[in-house]
Amino acid sequence: MGIVSRGFRGRRGREGPDLPPGQYLVEDFPVLSAGPTPRIDLGQWEFAITNESGDRRSWSWEEFRALPSERFTVDIHCVTKWSKLGTDWEGVPVDTLMEDVDTSAGFALAESYGGYTTNLPLEDLLDGKAWVAYRFGGEELEPEHGGPARLVVPHLYFWKSAKWVRGIQLRDSDEPGFWESLGYHNYGDPWREQRYWGD
C-alpha cells in the first residue's frame, strides 16, 4: 500500500447548493486508490462477516449474487473535495448480510482485498444506510472503482466505502482503519466537513 493513485488533485468543477461545504461537483468518476488495483478471481472471491465472538458467516460470489439486491441512487462525496450527484448502483444491503449474524458489537472494520481497512460505527451500516455494491451505472463494477464489489456508505466521505471489500469484522471497540490511522477523521461526515482528526 505504498502508492497513491492519480486523482488526489482532481479537476475543479462547479460548486452547487446540494453539496456539502468545501465540495465541488464533477461529472466524471475520479479514480482514487491507496495502492495497486487488485485483480480478484470470482471463483476465489469471498465475503465474510465475523462477529466479536469470532463466529463467521461467509458467501461465495455465486451465493452473494443470489441474495436479494436493490438498485439505489445516492450522492457521493470524496474527502479530496469532489462530489458526484445521483450515482446509480446495485448491490446487497448490509442489513440483508447481517440478518443471521448474532452480535452486540458497536463497531465495524471493513476489510478489502489488497489490505485496505476502514472503521465505522455499526449503526452506520444498518437501517438502509449501506450496501455491498457490484453494479454501477447499469454495468458490472469495474476494478478501478472497487469491483467486483465495494462497500457503499454514501452519508460518509467516500473513503469509508471500501473498494474490493472482502469482509466486515464486528468489534466491541473502535479500531482506526488505514486512512484513519494516517490522520483522516475517525467518522468522516461530509456535511460537518470531518476530513481530518480535529475537524
Side-chain angles (χ1 to χ4, degrees):
M1 305 237 307
I3 65 166
V4 174
S5 72
R6 63 183 172 80
F8 275 90
R9 286 182 221 95
R11 295 180 298 272
R12 291 202 56 90
R14 60 186 174 86
E15 296 181 5
D18 297 328
L19 301 180
Q23 296 292 111
Y24 63 90
L25 187 64
V26 298
E27 299 299 328
D28 60 345
F29 193 166
V31 176
L32 310 172
S33 300
T37 299
R39 302 296 172 179
I40 300 149
D41 178 353
L42 294 181
Q44 302 296 315
W45 186 91
E46 179 186 67
F47 182 85
I49 296 178
T50 306
N51 73 7
E52 65 275 28
S53 302
D55 298 327
R56 191 172 185 273
R57 174 79 172 93
S58 65
W59 297 264
S60 67
W61 182 251
E62 220 172 70
E63 292 166 336
F64 171 74
R65 289 297 296 263
L67 293 170
S69 65
E70 297 176 352
R71 286 192 64 183
F72 57 100
T73 301
V74 295
D75 301 337
I76 55 176
H77 309 289
C78 183
V79 72
T80 62
K81 300 190 176 184
W82 61 262
S83 290
K84 186 171 178 61
L85 305 182
T87 61
D88 178 45
W89 303 82
E90 185 175 345
V92 177
V94 174
D95 293 306
T96 299
L97 296 163
M98 288 289 295
E99 279 176 3
D100 296 322
V101 176
D102 181 29
T103 186
S104 60
F107 300 96
L109 186 70
E111 301 176 305
S112 297
Y113 290 95
Y116 180 81
T117 58
T118 190
N119 59 302
L120 311 94
L122 181 55
E123 66 184 359
D124 284 284
L125 296 177
L126 303 176
D127 299 322
K129 295 178 193 164
W131 298 261
V132 176
Y134 52 81
R135 291 176 71 83
F136 173 77
E139 304 290 335
E140 295 298 309
L141 187 59
E142 295 179 15
E144 67 180 2
H145 291 304
R150 80 175 295 159
L151 190 62
V152 177
V153 189
H155 66 282
L156 299 177
Y157 280 123
F158 210 44
W159 91 79
K160 295 289 188 176
S161 295
K163 292 181 176 183
W164 316 298
V165 69
R166 65 179 177 88
I168 297 171
Q169 285 188 28
L170 305 177
R171 297 172 171 261
D172 290 322
S173 58
D174 201 10
E175 176 185 321
F178 177 79
W179 285 119
E180 296 85 1
S181 65
L182 294 174
Y184 279 41
H185 197 278
N186 202 49
Y187 186 64
D189 182 344
W191 296 97
R192 294 163 64 190
E193 238 181 323
Q194 294 177 332
R195 299 179 197 278
Y196 308 105
W197 282 96
D199 287 348

